[in-house]
Amino acid sequence: MTISYRLVRPAPQQVHTLNPAQSQVADHRQGELLVMGGARTGKTTALIHAGVSSLERGVPQVLFIASSRRARKEDQSWVGQFYPHLVSRFRVTTFYSLCLSVVKIDDPHPPSLLSAARQDSYVRQILAGQDDQEWPQEFAQVRRTVPFASNLREILAACQRAGLSPDDVRQLGIDQSRDDWVCMGDFYQEYLDILGLASVVDYPELLLRAAALLTREDILTAVRPQGSMILLDDSHNVDSAQEEIFSALTDFSTAVIITANPDSAVFGFRGARLPGLGSDASTICLQQGYGVAEAVEEACANLKRRIELPLGVPVESLEKYRCLIPDRTGGVEKILCPDRGAEAAFAAQSLRRAHLLEKIPYENMAILVRSGAEFSRFAQACQLEGVPVTISGDEIQLKSEEIVTLLLDGLASGGHFESVSEALWDLWKSSGWEELLVAQIERGGVEALRAHRSLDAVVALFALASSFSDMSTAAGVTALIESVQSQEVPEDLPRSSAWASSAVRLTTAHRAGSGCWSLVIVAGVEDGVWPATGAVHPLLSVSGLVDLDVDRSQRLNAERKLFYTGCSSTTDRLVVTAVDDEEHSPSVFFDQLKADIGIFDAQAPSSVMSRAHLIGKLKQVLVDEGAHPGLRQAAGDRLAAMSHKYPSAHPDNWWAVGPHQEAETISAISASGIEDLLTCPRRWFLTKRAAAERRNQAEAEFGTLIHTICQDFDQSLDVMLESLESRWGELEFSPAWKSLPQLEQARGCLIRFDERRRRSDRETVFCEVGVEFLADLQAGSLRLRGRLDRVERDENERFWVVDLKTGKTAPTAREGANHIQMGVYQLALASGAIEELGPCEVAGAELVYLRLDAKGLPKVVVQPSLDAMPYLDTDPGLPVLTGELGDEVGDQYQHETWVHHRIAAAGAILRRGEFPALASSSCRGCSFRAVCPAKKVSS
């Protein structure tokens, strides 16, 4: 059979048909024109048509200044697609690209642009290298802090925008008798000198250089030929320095057109403002919306009325500009959630439902938040619901990337290399992560998105490391680690300007810009979060030097614009969420949005929206003895059919819990398990009964190996170290380079253990001895088991329980006194659980932390004996003992000792067979935190 193919030319896309107002813009031929319009009123389309029309009339060149790199790419592509014959004369650029091209005319090898994160790093490095005498005494305590560096970076940018040189700042300091200003001038000069030596330039300095060069006629002519047309899109986000460059370009131009959406001017904190035009400039307002929903416009009407009017624009024009004509109905919801975890869950479930039931592609949905600090909880909730999420690269700091943290840990372990970059490269190649991440990308899906981010972060880390390569390796590594850990400004990652496809956009309202989506969830609209109007008091006072002050009304106005911009970024449906609980309440913006309020019930049964959820529901029906037999049979049949393709549907992979057991039949619980059970019964159940926790295998094997080597009474330190070296290869570390620093830590453990052994006057009588005994309680007995690392006898023939720990943190003295595991071991020893000793006198217990150095010895936390302290002086109480359970167990004084009280509480929980989730300080490291129903944990 022969198969033939025929290539068919795709049907050409139609050029957008202009409405009357857009046609007026396109027909503009001379003078200055301001085009005002809200989101999706076709401002950019009209602007491009104006440029095309001018070129077809014989104008030599059109210079189109786009608002961002992404917009530049889209606009350039549009012109190339529909008017390829005009591309060479229709120049699309950004202010950055334009300034760089201006500088290149004068210098063929211009310096590279310094990212905001790198600028932040340079400022801190210079401060770290200065002597204390270089700043006034009042700054001695704060000069090396991150807020001081951030404040200084803002002042430098403001000075550059104002056209102040280092000499200007110094002279103003001398004139005003301000020593701190003189120091700022010196710092300013050193900053510019160092940037010059590194052949880099920050963005404000690039603008200043370009503005200075544009005063030369030859350069001005090269950039803007006589009689050309200048087009500026989104002029409401132009700052004063950019306006100066724009003004230089517009002289002697045939026509100048700028577009503006003043209600979405969200970059006022960077000095953005609406550029001034001449008094004879005309104004056209675009009112017809394309993808503007009537419901959204009505809901936002109150917000728009409260936004202050920009100066220099006639009131009648502003009123007309705000009266948009919708082209669709749309919908708006306001949802109150009981806590922050529920808010994230609601957002994820809504997106999943919209994708499955309404067939909205994931890439046509977005979650907008006020700041990047909100990303984590929404990303986790979406992951649990099977909703793919993408976050732009320049919105997450390097210090929050796990792969960066691990690489920095590896660098800190040392090594002999020529430079920081070489050390980092060797570490990266030996880790094996490159192949792993590439494989994840090839598999696609959510894993691919995360792998892309990790690779981007690694590339950015290498770029940052190169700036420290002129230092020695040790100093450079230290500087690199400090730079990343104190980073306040996100790094500009390589793919930051591009969104990943087929995923929900999770971004800030600032970053969303002119983006639009069919469904937008604006989340976290709470007091203190949105609006964020708290005044930031600068450490350096610059009143009279540059203007950094923004009063509360200005900040509130800027926040309202930002909120409105986020709300108006949807073409169809808007959902606004806020939390209403003891700690959070909806903000004034939530109230000002006109829409009905819904309440999200986090406890209500949710619809089945994912395969995992479906399998879980089927299992639930199958094991429900109260369900109809036919329904249970149908659930079993469906699970059987699915089990061939999905392992989680097969019974071999199910978790199961038997019927509640009476105290006499409950199997033994470990001493360490009691502490876990009393801290959070839900976590204990998931970890011990369901075996659902992913253990750090390498850490567990590390501890096991140390304990094994230390259990031989008579081994010398040399023999112990040899044993460690010979058996170290049994441990598997991922990545492999972690093996070397871990080996060094293991050697330190054995050295400190030997030193303690050498200095001790006690006799070791047992090592690694297992115990199992019945604890007699008022409500019955509970069988306990455990393994005592060491039992030691002192000169008074009293015994000590010693537990060797290889953890990296130790409890406080009070926490050690309350340590239930050691209390149980004391009770076991005193009750004769070790048959060879029988009942004996116990002097106390010690937790010995081998990794923690205390002047050559391991850190030791002592627990008094139960005879000396039968009850805790300050009982912290057990949150689990509430209601009937608390009444059943009582307080510690109703039991023989505080340890018996704890054991009784554990037995009562096991008898009931109920395992609630409890919030505590241990939640931070819990593997199940993302799905925990405990209110404070989710928050």
Side-chain angles (χ1 to χ4, degrees):
M1 178 179 177
T2 303
I3 300 176
S4 60
Y5 297 91
R6 183 168 62 93
L7 297 178
V8 179
R9 185 186 299 276
Q13 287 184 283
Q14 297 296 314
V15 177
H16 187 277
T17 301
L18 303 183
N19 62 42
Q22 289 176 312
S23 296
Q24 280 185 273
V25 177
D27 292 339
H28 182 73
R29 299 192 178 190
Q30 196 166 8
E32 296 178 329
L33 173 65
L34 169 63
V35 180
M36 297 180 64
R40 296 180 304 286
T41 54
K43 298 185 297 296
T44 303
T45 299
L47 204 60
I48 291 176
H49 276 85
V52 168
S53 178
S54 295
L55 291 174
E56 290 179 335
R57 289 197 306 265
V59 171
Q61 186 188 61
V62 167
L63 180 63
F64 185 107
I65 304 176
S67 58
S68 66
R69 286 177 293 178
R70 187 170 58 193
R72 170 184 171 274
K73 185 177 180 180
E74 292 171 355
D75 298 339
Q76 202 166 37
S77 174
W78 196 91
V79 174
Q81 180 180 0
F82 294 111
Y83 301 99
H85 61 291
L86 299 177
V87 168
S88 61
R89 292 191 293 141
F90 198 119
R91 182 184 177 192
V92 184
T93 186
T94 61
F95 270 109
Y96 161 63
S97 298
L98 179 64
C99 292
L100 193 61
S101 64
V102 169
V103 173
K104 278 183 177 180
I105 296 173
D106 186 63
D107 180 4
H109 305 288
S112 58
L113 183 66
L114 191 69
S115 68
R118 298 281 297 281
Q119 181 190 17
D120 189 58
S121 175
Y122 270 105
V123 169
R124 289 199 308 274
Q125 286 181 58
I126 297 170
L127 283 171
Q130 290 184 324
D131 296 329
D132 291 337
Q133 293 76 19
E134 294 189 47
W135 286 87
Q137 184 59 36
E138 60 262 32
F139 299 111
Q141 299 298 319
V142 298
R143 188 174 61 81
R144 297 184 186 277
T145 64
V146 171
F148 185 85
S150 299
N151 189 196
L152 190 54
R153 188 185 71 245
E154 292 173 4
I155 293 170
L156 291 181
C159 288
Q160 290 170 306
R161 285 197 299 265
L164 294 176
S165 68
D167 289 337
D168 293 334
V169 176
R170 274 194 293 258
Q171 190 58 52
L172 284 169
I174 294 170
D175 294 342
Q176 300 291 328
S177 299
R178 292 289 301 269
D179 292 341
D180 54 336
W181 291 8
V182 174
C183 293
M184 274 191 274
D186 294 338
F187 181 92
Y188 189 2
Q189 185 62 62
E190 185 176 358
Y191 169 79
L192 293 179
D193 291 343
I194 288 177
L195 261 58
L197 290 171
S199 192
V200 293
V201 63
D202 59 22
Y203 188 52
E205 180 64 20
L206 179 65
L207 289 173
L208 288 175
R209 291 191 188 186
L213 288 169
L214 285 173
T215 60
R216 289 169 42 182
E217 190 62 34
D218 59 327
I219 291 181
L220 190 59
T221 302
V223 176
R224 178 204 44 75
Q226 188 76 16
S228 62
M229 176 181 244
I230 308 293
L231 307 175
L232 173 61
D233 205 9
D234 288 344
S235 65
H236 50 272
N237 286 328
V238 170
D239 62 30
S240 56
Q242 293 171 334
E243 184 184 3
E244 183 180 351
I245 291 171
F246 181 69
S247 298
L249 293 170
T250 57
D251 293 339
F252 308 111
S253 295
T254 302
V256 176
I257 307 177
I258 68 173
T259 67
N261 183 5
D263 289 343
S264 292
V266 297
F267 291 108
F269 64 93
R270 292 199 310 216
R273 60 184 185 179
L274 199 64
L277 295 176
S279 57
D280 58 345
S282 54
T283 303
I284 294 176
C285 293
L286 304 182
Q287 296 177 282
Q288 179 59 57
Y290 299 95
V292 174
E294 182 180 6
V296 176
E297 280 301 298
E298 289 179 355
C300 293
N302 285 335
L303 287 169
K304 287 202 287 186
R305 278 197 295 269
R306 287 173 167 81
I307 294 175
E308 295 177 9
L309 303 179
L311 300 175
V313 180
V315 174
E316 59 273 15
S317 295
L318 282 167
E319 291 176 349
K320 186 178 180 182
Y321 139 78
R322 284 180 172 172
C323 294
L324 295 186
I325 303 172
D327 64 340
R328 59 195 67 195
T329 304
V332 178
E333 298 175 71
K334 293 200 300 186
I335 303 295
L336 286 177
C337 300
D339 57 69
R340 309 200 86 190
E343 182 182 36
F346 167 78
Q349 291 171 19
S350 299
L351 296 169
R352 181 74 175 170
R353 187 178 297 109
H355 178 68
L356 293 178
L357 302 183
E358 301 173 41
K359 307 303 181 185
I360 301 176
Y362 279 128
E363 61 267 27
N364 213 1
M365 296 185 277
I367 302 175
L368 306 186
V369 292
R370 177 60 183 83
S371 74
E374 303 291 307
F375 287 164
S376 178
R377 63 188 175 106
F378 287 100
Q380 288 181 359
C382 287
Q383 184 178 354
L384 289 171
E385 288 291 331
V387 175
V389 169
T390 179
I391 303 173
S392 180
D394 55 0
E395 292 188 294
I396 293 187
Q397 296 168 337
L398 284 183
K399 63 183 177 183
S400 67
E401 295 293 315
E402 182 181 12
I403 195 168
V404 170
T405 302
L406 291 171
L407 285 170
L408 293 179
D409 288 345
L411 281 177
S413 65
H416 302 288
F417 296 94
E418 294 293 326
S419 68
V420 180
S421 296
E422 183 185 343
L424 184 59
W425 176 254
D426 187 79
L427 193 60
W428 170 249
K429 296 305 291 183
S430 65
S431 70
W433 277 338
E434 182 178 0
E435 295 79 8
L436 177 64
L437 293 173
V438 169
Q440 288 177 347
I441 290 172
E442 290 174 348
R443 285 196 296 269
V446 177
E447 275 193 353
L449 298 178
R450 288 197 294 265
H452 271 302
R453 284 202 51 74
S454 295
L455 286 175
D456 289 347
V458 171
V459 172
L461 182 64
F462 271 102
L464 188 60
S466 65
S467 62
F468 302 101
S469 287
D470 56 343
M471 302 181 181
S472 67
T473 303
V477 166
T478 300
L480 175 63
I481 293 173
E482 290 177 352
S483 176
V484 172
Q485 289 177 343
S486 60
Q487 188 183 75
E488 292 297 303
V489 182
E491 193 71 48
D492 190 8
L493 301 186
R495 296 167 61 250
S496 63
S497 62
W499 295 103
S501 60
S502 303
V504 172
R505 274 64 162 170
L506 174 54
T507 185
T508 62
H510 274 118
R511 187 67 170 78
S514 58
C516 65
W517 299 270
S518 178
L519 169 60
V520 169
I521 298 177
V522 178
V525 190
E526 299 145 19
D527 278 337
V529 178
W530 205 345
T533 57
V536 178
H537 299 287
L539 297 171
L540 287 162
S541 174
V542 290
S543 178
L545 177 65
V546 289
D547 183 17
L548 291 180
D549 295 329
V550 180
D551 63 31
R552 190 180 187 282
S553 65
Q554 289 176 304
R555 287 196 300 272
L556 185 60
N557 189 54
E559 290 289 303
R560 185 175 282 111
K561 286 182 178 181
L562 183 64
F563 180 64
Y564 168 68
T565 300
C567 291
S568 61
S569 61
T570 180
T571 59
D572 293 286
R573 186 147 61 93
L574 171 66
V575 180
V576 178
T577 66
V579 172
D580 190 6
D581 62 8
E582 295 176 358
E583 300 176 12
H584 310 90
S585 60
S587 79
V588 63
F589 291 170
F590 189 87
D591 296 333
Q592 289 172 0
L593 191 73
K594 186 180 177 182
D596 294 334
I597 297 177
I599 307 296
F600 174 60
D601 184 359
Q603 304 302 320
S606 57
S607 303
V608 176
M609 289 292 167
S610 67
R611 182 174 64 247
H613 197 180
L614 173 61
I615 292 174
K617 285 287 186 183
L618 291 172
K619 290 178 185 177
Q620 191 176 26
V621 172
L622 183 63
V623 300
D624 183 4
E625 295 181 359
H628 189 280
L631 187 62
R632 296 179 68 187
Q633 180 64 47
D637 292 344
R638 171 54 63 184
L639 284 168
M642 296 178 72
S643 64
H644 299 292
K645 188 173 182 181
Y646 306 112
S648 59
H650 197 283
D652 290 348
N653 300 313
W654 295 3
W655 299 342
V657 182
H660 295 177
Q661 300 170 317
E662 296 302 322
E664 300 81 44
T665 62
I666 293 175
S667 59
I669 183 172
S670 67
S672 60
I674 291 181
E675 182 175 7
D676 295 338
L677 179 62
L678 297 180
T679 302
C680 180
R682 179 68 56 84
R683 181 178 180 179
W684 176 87
F685 172 80
L686 292 172
T687 303
K688 304 297 184 183
R689 288 277 181 89
E693 186 174 43
R694 290 184 179 179
R695 296 187 64 198
N696 188 328
Q697 194 62 29
E699 285 292 327
E701 291 174 351
F702 179 101
T704 300
L705 180 56
I706 295 296
H707 279 75
T708 301
I709 294 173
C710 291
Q711 71 181 357
D712 194 316
F713 286 40
D714 303 320
Q715 282 189 118
S716 66
L717 176 61
D718 290 339
V719 173
M720 292 167 70
L721 292 174
E722 286 178 11
S723 179
L724 176 68
E725 295 280 358
S726 64
R727 298 188 57 182
W728 190 252
E730 300 171 11
L731 277 61
E732 293 185 8
F733 291 92
S734 178
W737 53 260
K738 293 186 73 173
S739 175
L740 183 59
Q742 290 288 319
L743 177 58
E744 287 303 314
Q745 290 191 34
R747 289 194 186 106
C749 288
L750 295 181
I751 292 170
R752 284 185 283 275
F753 170 79
D754 180 66
E755 188 64 20
R756 176 188 180 277
R757 183 178 60 175
R758 232 174 24 83
R759 296 191 197 182
S760 176
D761 55 3
R762 298 185 201 152
E763 175 193 3
T764 302
V765 290
F766 287 101
C767 279
E768 296 294 330
V769 56
V771 294
E772 186 167 324
F773 69 105
L774 278 174
D776 293 324
L777 307 168
Q778 295 174 0
S781 300
L782 184 64
R783 184 168 295 279
L784 302 169
R785 65 169 182 268
R787 178 168 290 275
L788 281 62
D789 291 345
R790 300 175 76 79
V791 178
E792 298 176 351
R793 180 165 45 207
D794 63 21
E795 56 189 8
N796 296 318
E797 296 296 315
R798 298 188 308 167
F799 294 88
W800 288 81
V801 177
V802 177
D803 202 51
L804 303 180
K805 298 290 188 182
T806 56
K808 299 175 183 177
T809 57
T812 63
R814 174 177 289 183
E815 290 169 341
N818 303 347
H819 201 284
I820 183 62
Q821 180 185 1
M822 301 311 294
V824 171
Y825 286 165
Q826 284 200 58
L827 187 62
L829 194 59
S831 63
I834 299 180
E835 200 172 309
E836 293 88 334
L837 290 179
C840 55
E841 184 181 359
V842 181
E846 288 183 343
L847 294 160
V848 180
Y849 284 82
L850 298 176
R851 283 205 209 212
L852 305 180
D853 186 86
K855 297 182 179 180
L857 292 168
K859 180 176 177 60
V860 176
V861 180
V862 179
Q863 183 180 72
S865 72
L866 298 181
D867 291 334
M869 192 182 75
Y871 302 109
L872 302 174
D873 293 336
T874 305
D875 187 356
L878 297 174
V880 73
L881 294 182
T882 57
E884 294 181 3
L885 189 64
D887 295 338
E888 177 186 334
V889 176
D891 62 26
Q892 64 171 342
Y893 300 107
Q894 295 174 258
H895 298 266
E896 189 175 340
T897 67
W898 68 270
V899 177
H900 288 82
H901 175 244
R902 275 13 182 205
I903 297 172
I909 295 170
L910 292 173
R911 281 194 301 275
R912 284 173 173 261
E914 297 175 358
F915 305 97
L918 297 177
S920 71
S921 58
S922 66
C923 295
R924 185 173 298 275
C926 179
S927 303
F928 312 105
R929 185 179 182 185
V931 293
C932 183
K935 180 176 180 180
K936 292 183 180 178
V937 179
S938 299
S939 298

